Amino acid sequence: MRNVNVTVRSGGTVEEFHGVPLPLELGRQRQDDLDWMRLQNLGSHHRIAIAPLRSIAVPREAVRIEEDADGLRLINIHGRSSFFLRPDSHEVKPGQQITGRAASSISLAEDIIVDLESTEAGETSGADQALRTLEGSQQFVPETQEGGRLADLLDGQSEATRIQGAVSLVRQALNVVQKSAGSDEYFQAAVRSAATMIELDRAFVLLYHDGQWRVRAMYSYETDMTVDTSEDSAADTMPRGSGLLRRRVLNTKKTVIYEPSTYMHSTGSSMMALDRAVAAPMLDESGDVMGVLYGDRRFDSTRSNKPIGELEATLLEVIAGAVATGLARQREESLRASMGQFFSPSVTERLQGDDNLLAGRDAEVTVLFCDIRGFSTIAERVGAERTIEWINDVLTELSQCVLETDGVLVDYIGDELMAMWGAPAEQPDHALRACRAARKMLGKRETLKDRWHEITPDRFGFGIGINTGVARVGNTGSKVKFKYGPLGNVVNVASRIQGMTKRFGVSAIVSGATERAAAAAASDADSEIGFRRLADVRPFGVQEIVTVFEIGDGRDADWQSVREAYESALTHFHHSDLTGAARELASLVHSHPQDAPSVQLLGRVVDALTHRDENIDPVVRFDTK
């Protein structure tokens, strides 16, 4: 019998699972999974959700690992997506399997790497034998089981008893930490643990936002009942008499203990309902109070008749801190998930370190529009449901090309994608990044065509337009819906250039500004990106004349020869040398009849010769978008 050691590297997070029984399934979190990065025994096999539910780049069922005679068998169990073996980037296609691997490293997304190592069941190393497992369970204390109390530690008659009391308290605190942040269980664990550990009759999580308090969860020892309140819980559900403590916590940001001098205290005030009470602050990342963990103890309590001491209050602080940390983590994960819709992980990380990057400002950026050819044909032929599946897959692949080059996904407009580089984080090579993304997109055509061969039309492809210039960048949406992107003429020209791809019969066109900026930033490693000057154009609705270039394969000798011959003919044409242009183009069209720009330019030359134009207007003018 073989097991497998699994190491998952996701961004800056590393999770390890040792001695996992086979077979094992890896994939994105499903609705029925307990959580992600958790090993689950599903009976017939084990499963690890290596990516959260929102991470659409990873399929829900991606890889299955089985025992093989010589080690491990890796099987791609997804119907459409591939994964890659590292370090040689060997592609494992849908349904394909790799056998005889004692160890493997696979890439399921740009920032998710899984290392696998085959082990014999029960096999241990010398280091393993030196390890000692802490006795006792780390599982959550069941709702019906009372956890450790501070009194068990203080009143312990022997050292062993005191140690066991300390361990029990720590595990009770871990109950809070281990629950999913922001969930019902999270707050319920906090109030139950607080009441149990320091013998409170009641405990509450009270949240504070925009000057308003609300009860998020409460526990009563008398009824042994935990109540999780709704989002719209009214202020009158606050524990009576707690206002004084809450105000003191807001002012001091410190834990406050209330201990009346006598049993017959404050008869004329609301504090008489409190008896003894304590409130510990929950602070956000800025040190502001976002809530309190509050508890009280009656004078006639059957649990404890002692005042609430500093040690008990400190223990409450620990739990309050755990709740605050969990809420902060939840907000951060929610923010990262929201940003992940627009930004790559590396850009998101920079944004979290500098909030000012999202502020509106002028910046030099490169804007890309990518239109999907053949969309209308598919929509008419296969219906809405199948079309949505298809367009979602295509846009996902195109979006990955943007994120892999640290671009910003600005918007989806029907069957068109809009992206930007150069903001919010500064990228001196933003034009080159956009061109790399365009090359990646064009490289996806055959893969997508094969994957959807039963419905994809022959004319399926992409039309890509790119332009570089200064734009106003920031939230171009509204206060209701956030959309980070650019505004300005650079956007209009990029959109017009995308439309020109149909006129020139090529897949990707960039402006002269983009070509110059990309060439300036390029190195030898970028020699696969080539540019062919197509024409000087005047886009519809734009006053300036723009020189446009086709993006091609700079390492393709045939494409390079076509580029040189075409640009030579274009120069003759611009200098009104129609005979020289016709000679160049006649030879080029004969050898490459499929090259649409050459055929079109030859048509312009022949038209000029026919009309005997002495002064050639080399500018191609567009009367429509």
PDB file of all heavy atoms in Angstrom, residues 23 31 97 119 132 153 187 247 255 301 325 385 409 418 432 451 516 594:
ATOM      1  N   PRO A  23      -6.866   6.231  -3.268  1.00  0.00           N
ATOM      2  CA  PRO A  23      -6.746   7.332  -4.215  1.00  0.00           C
ATOM      3  C   PRO A  23      -7.092   8.687  -3.591  1.00  0.00           C
ATOM      4  O   PRO A  23      -7.838   8.765  -2.620  1.00  0.00           O
ATOM      5  CB  PRO A  23      -7.732   6.967  -5.317  1.00  0.00           C
ATOM      6  CG  PRO A  23      -8.754   6.098  -4.633  1.00  0.00           C
ATOM      7  CD  PRO A  23      -8.008   5.330  -3.584  1.00  0.00           C
ATOM      8  N   GLN A  31     -19.409  23.097  -3.156  1.00  0.00           N
ATOM      9  CA  GLN A  31     -20.375  23.533  -2.143  1.00  0.00           C
ATOM     10  C   GLN A  31     -20.451  22.541  -0.984  1.00  0.00           C
ATOM     11  O   GLN A  31     -20.694  22.925   0.159  1.00  0.00           O
ATOM     12  CB  GLN A  31     -21.758  23.691  -2.786  1.00  0.00           C
ATOM     13  CG  GLN A  31     -21.841  24.816  -3.810  1.00  0.00           C
ATOM     14  CD  GLN A  31     -21.827  26.193  -3.186  1.00  0.00           C
ATOM     15  OE1 GLN A  31     -21.852  26.325  -1.972  1.00  0.00           O
ATOM     16  NE2 GLN A  31     -21.745  27.230  -4.005  1.00  0.00           N
ATOM     17  N   GLN A  97      -3.224  10.340 -18.547  1.00  0.00           N
ATOM     18  CA  GLN A  97      -2.639   9.955 -17.278  1.00  0.00           C
ATOM     19  C   GLN A  97      -1.134   9.765 -17.423  1.00  0.00           C
ATOM     20  O   GLN A  97      -0.639   9.402 -18.494  1.00  0.00           O
ATOM     21  CB  GLN A  97      -3.295   8.702 -16.720  1.00  0.00           C
ATOM     22  CG  GLN A  97      -3.271   7.482 -17.618  1.00  0.00           C
ATOM     23  CD  GLN A  97      -3.962   6.294 -16.984  1.00  0.00           C
ATOM     24  OE1 GLN A  97      -3.359   5.552 -16.222  1.00  0.00           O
ATOM     25  NE2 GLN A  97      -5.253   6.139 -17.278  1.00  0.00           N
ATOM     26  N   THR A 119       4.983   7.452  -0.719  1.00  0.00           N
ATOM     27  CA  THR A 119       5.557   6.801   0.462  1.00  0.00           C
ATOM     28  C   THR A 119       4.840   5.477   0.687  1.00  0.00           C
ATOM     29  O   THR A 119       3.687   5.310   0.304  1.00  0.00           O
ATOM     30  CB  THR A 119       5.416   7.668   1.725  1.00  0.00           C
ATOM     31  OG1 THR A 119       4.024   7.830   2.031  1.00  0.00           O
ATOM     32  CG2 THR A 119       6.051   9.040   1.555  1.00  0.00           C
ATOM     33  N   ARG A 132       6.823  13.705  18.801  1.00  0.00           N
ATOM     34  CA  ARG A 132       5.910  13.239  19.835  1.00  0.00           C
ATOM     35  C   ARG A 132       4.596  13.981  19.678  1.00  0.00           C
ATOM     36  O   ARG A 132       4.571  15.203  19.556  1.00  0.00           O
ATOM     37  CB  ARG A 132       6.495  13.515  21.229  1.00  0.00           C
ATOM     38  CG  ARG A 132       5.587  13.036  22.368  1.00  0.00           C
ATOM     39  CD  ARG A 132       6.346  13.112  23.695  1.00  0.00           C
ATOM     40  NE  ARG A 132       6.696  14.488  24.014  1.00  0.00           N
ATOM     41  CZ  ARG A 132       5.901  15.314  24.717  1.00  0.00           C
ATOM     42  NH1 ARG A 132       4.730  14.887  25.121  1.00  0.00           N
ATOM     43  NH2 ARG A 132       6.291  16.534  24.987  1.00  0.00           N
ATOM     44  N   LEU A 153      -7.563  25.718  36.714  1.00  0.00           N
ATOM     45  CA  LEU A 153      -6.132  26.018  36.744  1.00  0.00           C
ATOM     46  C   LEU A 153      -5.721  26.593  38.094  1.00  0.00           C
ATOM     47  O   LEU A 153      -4.716  26.193  38.688  1.00  0.00           O
ATOM     48  CB  LEU A 153      -5.797  27.014  35.629  1.00  0.00           C
ATOM     49  CG  LEU A 153      -4.361  27.543  35.576  1.00  0.00           C
ATOM     50  CD1 LEU A 153      -3.367  26.398  35.371  1.00  0.00           C
ATOM     51  CD2 LEU A 153      -4.207  28.577  34.480  1.00  0.00           C
ATOM     52  N   PHE A 187     -18.822  32.938  15.968  1.00  0.00           N
ATOM     53  CA  PHE A 187     -19.304  33.781  17.059  1.00  0.00           C
ATOM     54  C   PHE A 187     -19.894  32.943  18.189  1.00  0.00           C
ATOM     55  O   PHE A 187     -19.749  33.287  19.367  1.00  0.00           O
ATOM     56  CB  PHE A 187     -20.342  34.773  16.529  1.00  0.00           C
ATOM     57  CG  PHE A 187     -19.784  35.743  15.529  1.00  0.00           C
ATOM     58  CD1 PHE A 187     -20.120  35.645  14.197  1.00  0.00           C
ATOM     59  CD2 PHE A 187     -18.906  36.745  15.919  1.00  0.00           C
ATOM     60  CE1 PHE A 187     -19.600  36.525  13.272  1.00  0.00           C
ATOM     61  CE2 PHE A 187     -18.383  37.639  14.999  1.00  0.00           C
ATOM     62  CZ  PHE A 187     -18.726  37.526  13.671  1.00  0.00           C
ATOM     63  N   ARG A 247     -19.404  52.357  26.321  1.00  0.00           N
ATOM     64  CA  ARG A 247     -18.890  53.709  26.116  1.00  0.00           C
ATOM     65  C   ARG A 247     -17.461  53.826  26.630  1.00  0.00           C
ATOM     66  O   ARG A 247     -16.607  54.475  26.014  1.00  0.00           O
ATOM     67  CB  ARG A 247     -19.799  54.726  26.813  1.00  0.00           C
ATOM     68  CG  ARG A 247     -21.138  54.935  26.111  1.00  0.00           C
ATOM     69  CD  ARG A 247     -21.865  56.135  26.660  1.00  0.00           C
ATOM     70  NE  ARG A 247     -22.246  55.949  28.056  1.00  0.00           N
ATOM     71  CZ  ARG A 247     -23.369  55.373  28.456  1.00  0.00           C
ATOM     72  NH1 ARG A 247     -24.237  54.925  27.555  1.00  0.00           N
ATOM     73  NH2 ARG A 247     -23.666  55.251  29.730  1.00  0.00           N
ATOM     74  N   THR A 255      -9.906  46.923  28.061  1.00  0.00           N
ATOM     75  CA  THR A 255     -10.881  46.080  28.740  1.00  0.00           C
ATOM     76  C   THR A 255     -11.364  46.759  30.019  1.00  0.00           C
ATOM     77  O   THR A 255     -10.569  47.331  30.780  1.00  0.00           O
ATOM     78  CB  THR A 255     -10.247  44.721  29.086  1.00  0.00           C
ATOM     79  OG1 THR A 255      -9.864  44.089  27.864  1.00  0.00           O
ATOM     80  CG2 THR A 255     -11.222  43.830  29.830  1.00  0.00           C
ATOM     81  N   SER A 301     -25.084  34.003  41.489  1.00  0.00           N
ATOM     82  CA  SER A 301     -24.834  32.962  40.504  1.00  0.00           C
ATOM     83  C   SER A 301     -24.493  31.641  41.173  1.00  0.00           C
ATOM     84  O   SER A 301     -23.787  31.592  42.178  1.00  0.00           O
ATOM     85  CB  SER A 301     -23.678  33.369  39.578  1.00  0.00           C
ATOM     86  OG  SER A 301     -23.328  32.321  38.733  1.00  0.00           O
ATOM     87  N   THR A 325      -9.171  39.215  15.066  1.00  0.00           N
ATOM     88  CA  THR A 325      -8.246  38.750  14.028  1.00  0.00           C
ATOM     89  C   THR A 325      -8.989  37.986  12.948  1.00  0.00           C
ATOM     90  O   THR A 325      -8.719  38.134  11.757  1.00  0.00           O
ATOM     91  CB  THR A 325      -7.152  37.867  14.641  1.00  0.00           C
ATOM     92  OG1 THR A 325      -6.438  38.623  15.633  1.00  0.00           O
ATOM     93  CG2 THR A 325      -6.175  37.384  13.577  1.00  0.00           C
ATOM     94  N   GLU A 385     -28.135  28.582 -23.384  1.00  0.00           N
ATOM     95  CA  GLU A 385     -27.437  27.859 -22.318  1.00  0.00           C
ATOM     96  C   GLU A 385     -26.057  27.393 -22.756  1.00  0.00           C
ATOM     97  O   GLU A 385     -25.062  27.605 -22.067  1.00  0.00           O
ATOM     98  CB  GLU A 385     -28.273  26.663 -21.865  1.00  0.00           C
ATOM     99  CG  GLU A 385     -27.626  25.869 -20.716  1.00  0.00           C
ATOM    100  CD  GLU A 385     -28.497  24.732 -20.232  1.00  0.00           C
ATOM    101  OE1 GLU A 385     -29.634  24.598 -20.724  1.00  0.00           O
ATOM    102  OE2 GLU A 385     -28.044  23.956 -19.368  1.00  0.00           O
ATOM    103  N   LEU A 409      -8.274  43.426 -15.506  1.00  0.00           N
ATOM    104  CA  LEU A 409      -9.485  43.107 -16.251  1.00  0.00           C
ATOM    105  C   LEU A 409     -10.484  44.244 -16.019  1.00  0.00           C
ATOM    106  O   LEU A 409     -11.095  44.334 -14.961  1.00  0.00           O
ATOM    107  CB  LEU A 409     -10.074  41.777 -15.783  1.00  0.00           C
ATOM    108  CG  LEU A 409      -9.295  40.532 -16.212  1.00  0.00           C
ATOM    109  CD1 LEU A 409      -9.799  39.318 -15.437  1.00  0.00           C
ATOM    110  CD2 LEU A 409      -9.430  40.302 -17.694  1.00  0.00           C
ATOM    111  N   MET A 418     -12.031  43.900 -22.228  1.00  0.00           N
ATOM    112  CA  MET A 418     -11.215  45.108 -22.151  1.00  0.00           C
ATOM    113  C   MET A 418     -10.238  44.954 -20.994  1.00  0.00           C
ATOM    114  O   MET A 418     -10.611  44.544 -19.901  1.00  0.00           O
ATOM    115  CB  MET A 418     -12.093  46.339 -21.938  1.00  0.00           C
ATOM    116  CG  MET A 418     -11.316  47.629 -21.783  1.00  0.00           C
ATOM    117  SD  MET A 418     -12.430  49.041 -21.450  1.00  0.00           S
ATOM    118  CE  MET A 418     -11.237  50.376 -21.226  1.00  0.00           C
ATOM    119  N   LEU A 432       4.700  46.373 -23.533  1.00  0.00           N
ATOM    120  CA  LEU A 432       5.222  45.044 -23.850  1.00  0.00           C
ATOM    121  C   LEU A 432       4.373  43.963 -23.198  1.00  0.00           C
ATOM    122  O   LEU A 432       4.108  42.908 -23.798  1.00  0.00           O
ATOM    123  CB  LEU A 432       6.672  44.941 -23.383  1.00  0.00           C
ATOM    124  CG  LEU A 432       7.407  43.636 -23.704  1.00  0.00           C
ATOM    125  CD1 LEU A 432       7.431  43.383 -25.197  1.00  0.00           C
ATOM    126  CD2 LEU A 432       8.829  43.672 -23.139  1.00  0.00           C
ATOM    127  N   ARG A 451     -11.340  22.120 -28.063  1.00  0.00           N
ATOM    128  CA  ARG A 451     -12.150  21.798 -26.898  1.00  0.00           C
ATOM    129  C   ARG A 451     -13.637  21.886 -27.210  1.00  0.00           C
ATOM    130  O   ARG A 451     -14.440  21.117 -26.684  1.00  0.00           O
ATOM    131  CB  ARG A 451     -11.784  22.749 -25.753  1.00  0.00           C
ATOM    132  CG  ARG A 451     -12.434  22.417 -24.427  1.00  0.00           C
ATOM    133  CD  ARG A 451     -12.068  23.460 -23.381  1.00  0.00           C
ATOM    134  NE  ARG A 451     -10.627  23.541 -23.192  1.00  0.00           N
ATOM    135  CZ  ARG A 451     -10.017  24.486 -22.502  1.00  0.00           C
ATOM    136  NH1 ARG A 451     -10.719  25.459 -21.939  1.00  0.00           N
ATOM    137  NH2 ARG A 451      -8.710  24.485 -22.364  1.00  0.00           N
ATOM    138  N   ARG A 516       6.306  51.573 -30.317  1.00  0.00           N
ATOM    139  CA  ARG A 516       7.532  52.239 -29.853  1.00  0.00           C
ATOM    140  C   ARG A 516       7.824  51.898 -28.392  1.00  0.00           C
ATOM    141  O   ARG A 516       8.972  51.602 -28.030  1.00  0.00           O
ATOM    142  CB  ARG A 516       7.401  53.751 -30.028  1.00  0.00           C
ATOM    143  CG  ARG A 516       7.426  54.213 -31.468  1.00  0.00           C
ATOM    144  CD  ARG A 516       7.543  55.729 -31.570  1.00  0.00           C
ATOM    145  NE  ARG A 516       6.393  56.404 -30.963  1.00  0.00           N
ATOM    146  CZ  ARG A 516       5.256  56.684 -31.610  1.00  0.00           C
ATOM    147  NH1 ARG A 516       5.114  56.311 -32.883  1.00  0.00           N
ATOM    148  NH2 ARG A 516       4.278  57.337 -31.014  1.00  0.00           N
ATOM    149  N   GLN A 594      -2.646  34.331 -49.252  1.00  0.00           N
ATOM    150  CA  GLN A 594      -3.512  34.403 -48.077  1.00  0.00           C
ATOM    151  C   GLN A 594      -3.227  35.627 -47.213  1.00  0.00           C
ATOM    152  O   GLN A 594      -3.946  35.880 -46.244  1.00  0.00           O
ATOM    153  CB  GLN A 594      -3.341  33.129 -47.212  1.00  0.00           C
ATOM    154  CG  GLN A 594      -2.084  33.073 -46.367  1.00  0.00           C
ATOM    155  CD  GLN A 594      -0.808  32.799 -47.167  1.00  0.00           C
ATOM    156  OE1 GLN A 594      -0.869  32.543 -48.368  1.00  0.00           O
ATOM    157  NE2 GLN A 594       0.339  32.859 -46.521  1.00  0.00           N
TER     158      GLN A 594
END
